[in-house]
Amino acid sequence: MVHPALLVAPIAAPLLAALLAIAFPRGAVAAALSAVGVALVASLVLVVEVARTGTGAALAIGGWPPPLGIALEADGLSAMFLLAASTIGLGVLVVAQGPFGWTGRETRKGYSFWPLALCLLAALNAIFLSRDFFNFYVGLELLSLSAVALVALDGKREAIEAALRYLMFALVGSLLYLLGAALLYAQYGTLDIGLIAASAETNGPTLVAAGLMTAGLAAKTALFPLHAWLPSAHTGAPAVASAMLSALVPKASFFILVRVWFDALPGQAGPGLTLVLGTMGAVAIVYGSILALLQERLKLIIAYSTVAQLGYLFLVFPLAGGDSTAQPWFAGAWTGGMVHAVSHGLAKAAMFLCAGAMMAAAGGDKLSDVRGIVAKMPLATFAFALAAVTLMGLPPSGGFLAKYLMLTAAFASGAWVWGAVVLAGGLLAALYLYRPLASLFAPADPDRTFTSVPLRTELVPLALALVAVLLGVASQFPYDILQVGRSVAAEAGLE
Amino acid sequence: MGGDPIIASWLVYGCCGAVLVGLGLFGFMRPTTTLRRVLAFNIVGSGIFLLFGATGYRVPSTGADPVPQALIITGIVVALAATALAVALMLALARVSAGRDEDA
Amino acid sequence: MTLPGLTHVLLEGPFLPLAALIWPLVLGLLAALPRLRAHVMMALPLAPIPALILALSGAVSGQTRAPDLLLGVALGLDAEGALLLGAIGALWLLAGIHALGYMKRPDRPAVFVGFWCLTLAGNLGVVLAQDVVTFYVAFAAVSLAAYFLVVHEGTDEALAAGKVYIVLAVIGEALLLAGLMVGASSADSLLIADVRAVLGADGWNGLALTAIVLAMGIKAGLVPLHIWLPLAHPAAPTPASAVLSGAIVKAGIIGLLRFVPGDAEVMGWTLVVLGLFGAYGGVIVGLGQKRIKAVLAYSTVSQMGVVIALCGAGVVTGQTALAYSAAALYCAHHALAKGALFLAVGVAHGSSARLIPFVVIATGVVAASVAGAPLAGGAIAKSVIKPAFEGIPLLLVTLSAIGTTALLARFIVMLGRSHSAMSNAEPGLAMAGAWLAASVGALVLPWLVGGAFMANEASYYLAPGALWSSLWPVGVGLAGFALVLKFVRLRIWFAEGDIAPWVVAGARRGAHVIAHRRRLAPPSLPGVSSAPLRRLVSRIEAGLALPVMAGLAMMAMIAAIVLFR
Amino acid sequence: MTGGVLPILIVLAALVPALISFALPERHARLRSIVNLSGAVLKLGLVAYLLLAVADGAAPEARLSLAPGLDLLLRVDALALLFVTLSGVLWLITTIYAIAYLGDSPNLSRFFGFFGLCVAATTGIAFSGTLITFFVFYEMLTLSTWPLVVHKQNEKSFAAGRRYLAYALPASAVLLIAIIWLESATGPVEFATGTDLSVLGETSLQMIFWLFIAGLGVKAALFPLHGWLPAAMAAPAPVSALLHAVAVVKAGAFGIIRIIYDVFGIATVSALGLATPLAILASFTILYGSVRALEQSEIKKRLAFSTVSQVSYIILGAALAGPIAAIGGLAHLVHQGLMKIALFFCAGIYAERAGIETVEALDGIGPRMPWTSVAFTLGAMGMIGIPPMAGFVSKFYLGVGAVQTGANWVVVVLATSSLLNAAYFLPLVYRIWFLPAPEDRAAPADGFERPLGLIVPAVIAAGAALAVGLMAGSPLSPLGWATLIVERDYLP
């Protein structure tokens, strides 16, 4: 059995560090790094344990079993997301020492960044580990509030406006989600996923509840019609923060959505759900790419690229693993979706960190400002290129593996429309990423000088991008972990 | 002690909750200032908590079911935090747009 | 771990044929080395020696096979091959010696020697080749390398002639390649004998035969394709044109002899007709030429016309073996005789008025032999080919002697006037010696070797009947020429290469059209101007940011999920 | 040494120097050259060792499974070795040439890094045992070639790079569709074991085949998809040599050969009635490439279009269902590589040392640059198909093979294409040797034909083309090896 501490540590450590950071701002960086380090180690051990034992790990906090108590559980999926979150979190915080580190005197941004970031990470870990809808709600709220605060960190006018709009969307989303939870509780008298799955039956109120929760979560994941808040928020936020915002925050609400439809109510997903989410995802891919193509600022391109790539995730519902029996081997779209979530997180974090480093060096984030920066920052540019390769889904990156799994599922189940969308997404990604790459690699005009940037701001994104590519190369390992504790629906597919 | 009341009290609370949620959502979506939206947000919140309470009562025999009450308390705390953040942001925005920039 | 096939044999059969080919190539390469550049011209006469030794040793029993080279080289030599090899080798030797004298200070001697040896190797290869690929390689070498001999002088006229030559040569190569491909594949073997057997059939094989005959026709000066000959000879240096006319043209004839199968009736008749047409056409246009080498060139066209007719006749009358040996003898004699005539031109240019009579008399004898005068080698050669003909072609062949005599008489007259202006000009030992040797060779060869090829004994040719039958055409020819010289004032001159100017002009216009047709501009991506798109998109973004829109979208979503259960 | 590790070693022999070059700062030029050259030599040594092993029938393979049904398989069979030997040899001489050609121009570490990556990808393509492995390395090749095309970083090369990506990326998308469509029905496709295609209907099989041809056709410069090749001439000479002779174009042709022989099988291809249309398309490309080459006044553009037409010989050989045509096609894979790389080296030398870019500027350069001009002439002769150069041998085999399978019209195509080749190559040779040189051509300080690093590779390549043609009969020659391949693997 997995030692209970492994499940508690990823949540407790960051929260503890957040409190310490508030109390001793001078030691904030040390506390933060050590806390996330602990979380990373715990998640690593957890992943190894899960892989080795082949079963998830569960812990009823305080000995109170559900439905009364709160249970923490880690199956393959949550272990994988946990590990990704901790890795990206550590990377981001290492880079954050630059702009937000202790500089002799206490500044507003320097002081408030660390607790917010740590709360955000704690919230993420809480969501990934919990099995209870109300627990999800609490995690979701903590996540949203800290994210909104991070967006408004710069204090500039458009940052605050963006934060406010983000808050509005987030509030609507969480309210609808809460309403759905309330109805579910009214229906089944419990909010624990396992118990609901046991006694779920398809009837009106359950569907209404699930619909409400889906709408709420879609708003938080910035699915196409509800994405308007994301670009301005992620551009307003400081680059380091937007790395976490883009890479992790939407994945948490998507994670809950997956739990709702694949684990809690496997039988309920009617054609309505799959087609709606699928079409909105497909439109998100195309729309996000077109917008990314038209942007002039580097951060806006990356933000709209997030909108597009998130569309991929929602293709999991229509594809939903495809009837794996038909495929000669059981590669499911579900696994593809989850691998895409992780590899996109890593690549997007790397890309935003590079963008941050380049903006610091060039003093502006327009494509013309960063032209020819490869001469000065070869490593960062190479990291950016590697991340771009993952986003385009070119082999040997993790993105390719995800795309490949989704494509096989699409072709096997005859739904080649979604396959075409996946491919088009890859091509469009190549289209809108070509301009930034071309201007980065362009010959810099001699009189343009870039200020030097600490080496770590280049090495961390490179490391993250390499992990994203590694995901594609050594993909047997993540593939097996994701299968642990995979629900039937994920395998057989929502009918 | 009166017999069964004409309609069960939990139903009354449930309907009130539903009405509050509807009003709040409508208020939220109308093109209004942010402040009004935050207020609408609180209305919807209380509506939902009322609903939660109503569901709790429905379970007969051993008195009210404790779980919804716990959830309601947490919900209220979270709603309060969200409102506080919203108001703080609005103040910051007002201050910024009035010309004085936040200290870095 | 042995590499497969490493142990297999590199060479089977006698080595001499392969040596005869490789030796000139080696000499050609040595010429390129700077150290040997000083006396590189010496290589010219040395190159053909191994081939001569091989020819003198007579037919070679069995094939020489070198499976690694090209696609498996197979060389062989039969009696006729030995005769041809000997004549061609001798001519190359004598022309080489003549060149030593003729080209005192040649510019870029290394290049000249290099390509001289390459052409020689090709020429010998054509005779020796038993398999299709070696034949093609040799034919390519002899036709393409000869280009450098033609343009050696570098004058504009030479370059123009070279251009026509190379274009025709390349077309010939392409045709030959196509023909050989079809032939080799339907015969399913690379040996010439097998391919020859299969070429007779109709359909694609017939087309292949036509392609091969056209390619050989270009080389052998078959009438419509002969236009490069009269242009190239005057432009080339004398030893080169001697070799061009004497040996290189023979490559085409050998090709015809090797590839035209016995059962191709239609092809046989076309060859006879075109051959005879060439024989008479060559004489008529030759008479209308101004320059002495052009006259000789047309005489070659006419003589080759006769041989082509002979090949055709052999097929038509079913006596291909007889035609083969007769053609071999005729070509051998013609090689040496025509070579002698060209060398005579070189000697004449180099000798003073005082010496010119000797040159004229000696050349007159050789010319007579070519025309078929009695007692000379030509008579035997002509008599040997007669049995292959019947009916009208036979008559035409005998009458062609008249034309040849007239043309050669005109040549002798022009030769007389072409002595050098300097009174003490000496043609030099090398040039004169080579010329004399060639003349003697031409006269004597048919007698020496004729025995093996003649149906009857040498004495038959001394009998009065045979004498008379070869004398009267020569007499009539001489008389006719004398009359024309004296009384017919009007002189009709033909442009050199007769139809060449029109052909060249047509080709140039065609090339011009291809090169300058409107360049199709590469399809550029239609540049969608981003402005309208940008405006539309920003409007959508602003709209979606409104809470009401977001709310409606969420409501729609919930409804869809609930309703479409 | 267990067989399995060999293919990985060979791929690493190309990959490791690349990674080292990336890491080396610019000033370590000497060290970088040594690393690359030793990598190339090591690779050749391993290939030689493998040649012996495979000749005896061994087929070492290394398998790395990414996900169930998705495993990377590196397998050495005779066909793979033919391609790897070619790319190994040409990589060595191209590296020598590149070191001399680029001298001390900027960002060379990046250049040699991507250069090595390219060759590693090509080796991967050659050794790939399954369709997915092939696709992974095929993509790696596209990605690692783009930076080489835009190496000069001027507007022209960026435009060429854009155009290259505009052709290559959709092509890879199409290829991926084809692979997935096929594999979703038949399960993972392995070249060695072959696949039973009965599962799919005839029309879908045909559509999949044409998707494959479209996907691979871009790199193999088949007619409608060849647009990027001439534009890619903006790259420096060693890169165009790499593109045309060593890696990219060959990868496309190699892919088509794999698809026709190993995935579909020649019998199925002709049964489905796909062989003739492909042969017609290839023949049209042959003629189209030659005609377009006639119009180009720039030497490199002319060579580019000549590549467009020459590569289609290989595809023609593969499309014709006969064994002899197949041998001809496979041999041409090597022959074209040798001849074309010689031509590109010479074009690079003319441009670099004598500033000659266009055909008109070639007048009279022969005597001044004898070695380069001889190499160029040999290459040109080979292209025209004049014996005994290598080009003639493969063209002859193609013709004979074509007639054997009844496709007699192919002989006409081959003859016409030889004429067209002569039409656009002979004027160059004519200008080099026979026209007087313009007076104003100033020889560079240290003479035209310096440094040797430029001249030697060109001469070696031309010499190799001649030697391969001359010794075509021997089993050691590419023709011999191609015969071994066809007899061993593909005879019906």
Side-chain angles (χ1 to χ4, degrees):
Chain A
M1 250 304 279
V2 170
H3 190 285
L6 285 182
L7 287 174
V8 172
I11 304 171
L15 281 182
L16 189 64
L19 299 179
L20 282 175
I22 294 172
F24 308 100
R26 197 186 312 278
V29 172
L33 290 185
S34 50
V36 177
V38 162
L40 183 60
V41 165
S43 50
L44 260 178
V45 170
L46 190 65
V47 162
V48 165
E49 275 301 302
V50 163
R52 193 170 52 75
T53 59
T55 61
L59 166 70
I61 297 179
W64 295 78
L68 198 59
I70 302 171
L72 292 183
E73 191 183 337
D75 65 355
L77 178 63
S78 35
M80 192 66 186
F81 272 44
L82 207 64
L83 183 61
S86 316
T87 330
I88 297 174
L90 186 65
V92 165
L93 293 191
V94 163
V95 172
Q97 291 171 37
F100 301 99
W102 178 256
T103 56
R105 66 176 181 75
E106 187 181 286
T107 62
R108 185 180 63 76
K109 283 205 290 186
Y111 172 75
S112 49
F113 173 80
W114 296 103
L116 286 175
L118 287 166
C119 286
L120 191 134
L121 286 175
L124 280 172
N125 294 347
I127 291 174
F128 293 146
L129 284 173
S130 54
R131 295 286 296 170
D132 176 300
F133 280 121
F134 199 77
N135 232 356
F136 282 144
Y137 172 69
V138 172
L140 216 53
E141 278 307 293
L142 178 59
L143 186 68
S144 305
L145 296 189
S146 43
V148 164
L150 277 173
V151 167
L153 206 57
D154 270 349
K156 290 197 201 56
R157 184 177 160 64
E158 62 279 347
I160 297 177
E161 274 166 6
L164 261 178
R165 186 181 302 117
Y166 180 13
L167 186 57
M168 288 305 131
F169 272 84
L171 291 187
V172 171
S174 42
L175 281 182
L176 289 181
Y177 175 80
L178 192 57
L179 191 57
L183 289 179
L184 265 188
Y185 183 77
Q187 180 82 10
Y188 298 104
T190 168
L191 283 177
D192 180 271
I193 291 181
L195 296 176
I196 292 180
S199 58
E201 76 266 7
T202 51
N203 53 28
T206 320
L207 263 185
V208 167
L212 281 167
M213 294 169 93
T214 311
L217 291 170
K220 281 186 171 299
T221 327
L223 180 59
F224 164 65
L226 314 168
H227 70 287
W229 57 271
L230 186 134
S232 51
H234 288 193
T235 344
V240 170
S242 47
M244 275 200 292
L245 288 174
S246 243
L248 297 172
V249 170
K251 305 292 163 40
S253 36
F254 176 74
F255 178 84
I256 301 172
L257 202 57
V258 165
R259 285 292 188 223
V260 165
W261 288 106
F262 280 93
D263 292 346
L265 310 163
Q268 310 285 338
L273 171 92
T274 51
L275 283 182
V276 160
L277 289 187
T279 353
M280 286 161 86
V283 171
I285 295 177
V286 174
Y287 181 78
S289 307
I290 293 172
L291 275 146
L293 199 59
L294 295 172
Q295 299 312 325
E296 266 316 307
R297 289 177 55 196
L298 193 58
K299 281 181 84 172
L300 263 176
I301 294 178
I302 306 176
Y304 275 111
S305 149
T306 308
V307 171
Q309 296 290 328
L310 287 176
Y312 269 101
L313 297 180
F314 284 88
L315 290 184
V316 166
F317 290 95
L319 293 176
D323 42 7
S324 56
T325 46
Q327 291 150 5
W329 70 100
F330 65 94
W334 185 84
T335 324
M338 297 317 136
V339 168
H340 181 276
V342 173
S343 69
H344 168 263
L346 290 164
K348 194 46 65 70
M351 214 173 235
F352 258 115
L353 291 179
C354 292
M358 289 173 191
M359 274 165 55
D365 88 332
K366 285 201 184 45
L367 284 188
S368 47
D369 305 340
V370 288
R371 189 173 178 72
I373 202 163
V374 67
K376 189 80 174 63
M377 298 167 69
L379 288 182
T381 324
F382 186 56
F384 191 93
L386 265 183
V389 161
T390 314
L391 291 186
M392 296 181 207
L394 295 175
S397 66
F400 170 69
L401 173 67
K403 197 160 87 166
Y404 178 77
L405 292 175
M406 281 201 227
L407 273 173
T408 36
F411 272 94
S413 54
W416 53 268
V417 171
W418 304 120
V421 166
V422 168
L423 269 174
L427 278 179
L428 287 169
L431 217 57
Y432 66 72
L433 284 173
Y434 175 78
R435 270 174 47 251
L437 276 175
S439 73
L440 290 183
F441 279 95
D445 38 17
D447 53 35
R448 172 133 198 73
T449 56
F450 299 107
T451 56
S452 70
V453 169
L455 188 59
R456 67 172 180 281
T457 55
E458 290 193 64
L459 283 183
V460 167
L462 186 59
L464 289 178
L466 280 176
V467 170
V469 171
L470 204 63
L471 208 60
V473 174
S475 56
Q476 189 63 37
F477 182 68
Y479 191 89
D480 294 341
I481 292 174
L482 284 173
Q483 309 313 327
V484 169
R486 205 168 86 142
S487 67
V488 168
E491 194 154 335
L494 310 168
E495 70 276 357
Chain B
M1 272 281 286
D4 270 347
I6 304 152
I7 51 169
S9 56
W10 64 273
L11 195 60
V12 170
Y13 298 129
C15 296
C16 284
V19 163
L20 279 178
V21 166
L23 269 177
L25 281 180
F26 174 71
F28 200 88
M29 283 198 278
R30 273 187 64 253
T32 57
T33 63
T34 325
L35 189 59
R36 277 178 182 274
R37 283 215 179 87
V38 168
L39 290 179
F41 161 73
N42 279 298
I43 293 170
V44 172
S46 43
I48 294 173
F49 297 143
L50 199 56
L51 257 174
F52 245 124
T55 53
Y57 172 78
R58 193 174 50 74
V59 174
S61 74
T62 60
D65 163 15
V67 169
Q69 291 153 20
L71 301 185
I72 291 168
I73 299 165
T74 334
I76 291 168
V77 163
V78 165
L80 174 69
T83 319
L85 178 63
V87 168
L89 280 179
M90 278 189 279
L91 288 177
L93 184 64
R95 203 178 305 119
V96 157
S97 47
R100 271 187 306 107
D101 206 343
E102 274 301 293
D103 55 323
Chain C
M1 263 169 298
T2 62
L3 255 183
L6 192 59
T7 55
H8 82 289
V9 71
L10 281 179
L11 178 71
E12 304 146 8
F15 176 66
L16 193 54
L18 200 61
L21 287 185
I22 291 178
W23 170 249
L25 291 177
V26 165
L27 281 183
L29 283 177
L30 291 181
L33 297 182
R35 264 189 296 81
L36 296 177
R37 196 147 294 176
H39 33 71
V40 78
M41 292 299 279
M42 285 311 298
L44 293 185
L46 297 179
I49 291 175
L52 280 177
I53 300 166
L54 174 64
L56 294 182
S57 66
V60 169
S61 62
Q63 281 185 350
T64 315
R65 300 188 61 77
D68 282 354
L69 275 181
L70 291 178
L71 301 180
V73 166
L75 304 176
L77 196 62
D78 50 13
E80 288 81 359
L83 172 64
L84 275 172
L85 195 69
I88 291 173
L91 176 61
W92 277 92
L93 178 69
L94 299 175
I97 298 168
H98 183 85
L100 292 183
Y102 179 82
M103 307 170 76
K104 284 285 175 290
R105 292 157 311 288
D107 53 355
R108 290 185 304 178
V111 170
F112 182 74
V113 165
F115 283 103
W116 175 280
C117 294
L118 185 56
T119 322
L120 165 60
N123 211 281
L124 302 177
V126 164
V127 176
L128 288 166
Q130 294 298 315
D131 75 298
V132 162
V133 171
T134 324
F135 180 84
Y136 183 74
V137 171
F139 194 80
V142 77
S143 59
L144 298 182
Y147 171 80
F148 294 95
L149 304 186
V150 169
V151 294
H152 179 67
E153 308 245 318
T155 60
D156 290 349
E157 184 214 354
L159 287 178
K163 204 163 276 183
V164 170
Y165 174 80
I166 196 70
V167 165
L168 278 175
V170 166
I171 292 173
E173 286 302 318
L175 286 170
L176 182 59
L177 181 65
L180 290 185
M181 277 187 200
V182 174
S185 119
S186 39
D188 201 9
S189 121
L190 290 179
L191 293 178
I192 293 184
D194 308 344
V195 170
R196 178 166 185 259
V198 94
L199 278 182
D202 47 9
W204 277 91
N205 294 349
L207 279 179
L209 178 62
T210 332
I212 293 176
V213 163
L214 283 178
M216 297 307 144
I218 290 176
K219 184 57 66 200
L222 192 62
V223 161
L225 309 167
H226 69 292
I227 50 175
W228 62 274
L229 241 149
L231 291 174
H233 284 300
T238 315
S241 43
V243 159
L244 255 176
S245 210
I248 295 176
V249 164
K250 300 296 178 300
I253 301 295
I254 294 166
L256 282 179
L257 292 171
R258 285 278 161 69
F259 280 102
V260 179
D263 51 8
E265 284 295 323
V266 168
M267 184 55 73
W269 274 108
T270 32
L271 286 181
V272 167
V273 166
L274 287 180
L276 292 178
F277 185 74
Y280 285 91
V283 164
I284 297 163
V285 177
L287 286 170
Q289 289 305 321
K290 290 199 180 63
R291 294 206 292 187
I292 188 163
K293 281 192 175 174
V295 167
L296 275 185
Y298 274 104
S299 132
T300 308
V301 168
S302 138
Q303 292 296 319
M304 285 306 113
V306 168
V307 176
I308 292 171
L310 169 63
C311 299
V315 168
V316 162
T317 57
Q319 304 162 310
T320 46
L322 178 114
Y324 179 44
S325 49
L329 178 63
Y330 192 87
C331 286
H333 164 262
H334 177 267
L336 288 174
K338 189 48 63 67
L341 295 182
F342 266 102
L343 297 187
V345 170
V347 166
H349 285 326
S351 53
S352 66
R354 193 165 46 74
L355 293 172
I356 201 70
F358 301 106
V359 171
V360 164
I361 294 162
T363 321
V365 168
V366 171
S369 149
V370 168
L375 292 182
I380 299 175
K382 267 227 168 21
S383 64
V384 160
I385 64 171
K386 281 211 176 63
F389 288 90
E390 295 145 354
I392 309 158
L394 178 60
L395 179 64
L396 287 177
V397 165
T398 40
L399 291 182
S400 75
I402 305 170
T404 321
T405 325
L407 188 60
L408 289 179
R410 172 156 172 60
F411 161 71
I412 297 299
V413 165
M414 292 172 72
L415 190 72
R417 288 198 223 96
S418 64
H419 53 75
S420 88
M422 292 185 298
S423 62
N424 58 1
E426 281 294 326
L429 178 63
M431 292 172 61
W435 162 60
L436 278 178
S439 314
V440 163
L443 297 176
V444 160
L445 180 70
W447 290 103
L448 278 178
V449 83
F453 295 89
M454 277 183 302
N456 33 39
E457 284 318 314
S459 60
Y460 162 78
Y461 291 96
L462 300 180
L467 283 180
W468 169 248
S469 71
S470 55
L471 188 62
W472 69 268
V474 174
V476 165
L478 281 178
F481 177 69
L483 281 174
V484 161
L485 198 65
K486 282 283 181 294
F487 302 107
V488 174
R489 272 293 149 262
L490 61 92
R491 271 280 182 267
I492 30 166
W493 301 112
F494 289 99
E496 237 161 48
D498 46 78
I499 52 174
W502 297 309
V503 167
V504 167
R508 188 164 292 120
R509 213 173 313 109
H512 186 76
V513 162
I514 293 177
H516 293 284
R517 67 179 167 71
R518 196 186 52 71
R519 270 184 47 67
L520 41 95
S524 65
L525 294 173
V528 58
S529 79
S530 60
L533 186 63
R534 208 181 284 275
R535 269 199 308 281
L536 170 70
V537 151
S538 49
R539 259 209 313 283
I540 296 176
E541 276 295 285
L544 286 175
L546 296 174
V548 63
M549 292 302 290
L552 288 179
M554 284 197 236
M555 294 308 142
M557 224 162 117
I558 298 164
I561 291 173
V562 170
L563 295 179
F564 304 107
R565 200 187 301 278
Chain D
M1 184 154 60
T2 62
V5 82
L6 267 175
I8 300 177
L9 271 182
I10 292 185
V11 173
L12 286 180
L15 200 61
V16 165
L19 300 180
I20 298 173
S21 318
F22 271 124
L24 284 177
E26 283 298 313
R27 61 185 182 289
H28 292 306
R30 171 165 295 284
L31 178 60
R32 181 182 55 233
S33 309
I34 293 166
V35 162
N36 276 296
L37 285 177
S38 50
V41 168
L42 173 68
K43 177 174 175 190
L44 271 190
L46 288 170
V47 164
Y49 176 79
L50 258 178
L51 272 173
L52 299 183
V54 170
D56 283 356
E61 60 179 50
R63 189 179 290 269
L64 159 72
S65 83
L66 289 175
L70 174 68
D71 40 14
L72 292 177
L73 171 68
L74 289 181
R75 186 169 179 287
V76 181
D77 61 0
L79 180 59
L81 260 180
L82 180 79
F83 189 23
V84 167
T85 331
L86 171 74
S87 73
V89 168
L90 295 189
W91 179 35
L92 179 62
I93 50 177
T94 315
T95 317
I96 300 169
Y97 184 84
I99 294 170
Y101 183 87
L102 296 169
D104 48 14
S105 58
N107 40 50
L108 281 188
S109 297
R110 186 185 68 188
F111 178 85
F112 281 104
F114 282 117
F115 201 78
L117 268 181
C118 242
V119 178
T122 320
T123 325
I125 285 176
F127 283 152
S128 54
T130 66
L131 264 180
I132 271 301
T133 337
F134 178 83
F135 180 77
V136 167
F137 284 109
Y138 193 76
E139 276 315 292
M140 227 171 97
L141 184 62
T142 315
L143 290 179
S144 49
T145 326
W146 180 72
L148 293 175
V149 171
V150 296
H151 178 67
K152 282 189 185 146
Q153 290 187 305
N154 52 32
E155 189 27 47
K156 215 153 80 74
S157 50
F158 267 111
R162 253 197 306 278
R163 193 153 190 193
Y164 172 62
L165 282 184
Y167 276 89
L169 286 179
S172 62
V174 164
L175 186 60
L176 187 59
I177 293 179
I179 293 177
I180 293 212
W181 187 345
L182 185 67
E183 292 205 339
S184 64
T186 62
V189 167
E190 255 191 55
F191 296 143
T193 53
T195 52
D196 72 335
L197 300 173
S198 54
V199 176
L200 282 156
E202 186 156 306
T203 46
S204 49
L205 266 181
Q206 280 164 345
M207 281 166 66
I208 292 177
F209 181 79
W210 287 116
L211 282 177
F212 270 120
I213 294 297
L216 297 163
V218 165
K219 283 219 167 43
L222 267 177
F223 164 63
L225 312 166
H226 65 288
W228 62 278
L229 199 56
M233 282 308 102
V239 173
S240 1
L242 175 89
L243 285 184
H244 285 250
V246 176
V248 176
V249 167
K250 288 292 150 38
F254 183 81
I256 290 181
I257 291 174
R258 272 288 191 219
I259 295 299
I260 290 181
Y261 287 122
D262 289 334
V263 175
F264 280 81
I266 195 69
T268 335
V269 169
S270 31
L272 289 170
L274 299 166
T276 324
L278 183 63
I280 293 170
L281 177 63
S283 310
F284 181 77
T285 317
I286 293 175
L287 298 179
Y288 174 82
S290 309
V291 166
R292 283 300 302 276
L294 268 170
E295 294 166 5
Q296 307 303 330
S297 71
E298 235 182 282
I299 299 176
K300 276 190 161 179
K301 278 267 180 18
R302 192 168 278 211
L303 291 182
F305 274 108
S306 125
T307 305
V308 168
S309 90
Q310 289 286 332
V311 173
S312 291
Y313 282 103
I314 306 172
I315 299 167
L316 187 61
L320 295 171
I324 296 191
I327 296 172
L330 287 174
H332 198 62
L333 187 84
V334 177
H335 295 170
Q336 198 263 351
L338 291 172
M339 294 186 289
K340 187 42 67 68
I341 207 163
L343 287 171
F344 264 104
F345 283 163
C346 300
I349 299 168
Y350 284 141
E352 189 69 15
R353 300 301 297 173
I356 297 175
E357 299 279 345
T358 61
V359 171
E360 291 70 22
L362 269 173
D363 296 358
I365 190 67
R368 278 170 188 65
M369 298 174 77
W371 286 101
T372 325
S373 306
V374 164
F376 189 87
T377 314
L378 280 180
M381 293 300 161
M383 280 297 156
I384 300 170
I386 294 170
M389 289 297 290
F392 160 72
V393 170
S394 32
K395 200 172 276 191
F396 186 75
Y397 258 66
L398 272 177
V400 169
V403 175
Q404 220 168 28
T405 58
N408 295 356
W409 53 274
V410 168
V411 169
V412 174
V413 168
L414 291 178
T416 348
S417 92
S418 309
L419 281 181
L420 286 171
N421 291 353
Y424 68 77
F425 268 118
L426 282 189
L428 275 75
V429 172
Y430 175 74
R431 278 179 185 281
I432 291 176
W433 293 105
F434 295 102
L435 289 189
E439 288 68 28
D440 57 10
R441 174 175 296 135
D446 51 0
F448 272 113
E449 302 217 283
R450 285 289 170 276
L452 278 189
L454 285 180
I455 312 301
V456 166
V459 170
I460 290 175
L466 178 62
V468 153
L470 209 57
M471 302 296 290
S474 90
L476 298 180
S477 73
L479 193 73
W481 193 262
T483 328
L484 180 108
I485 294 171
V486 171
E487 273 154 17
R488 183 183 288 179
D489 295 345
Y490 303 123
L491 264 203

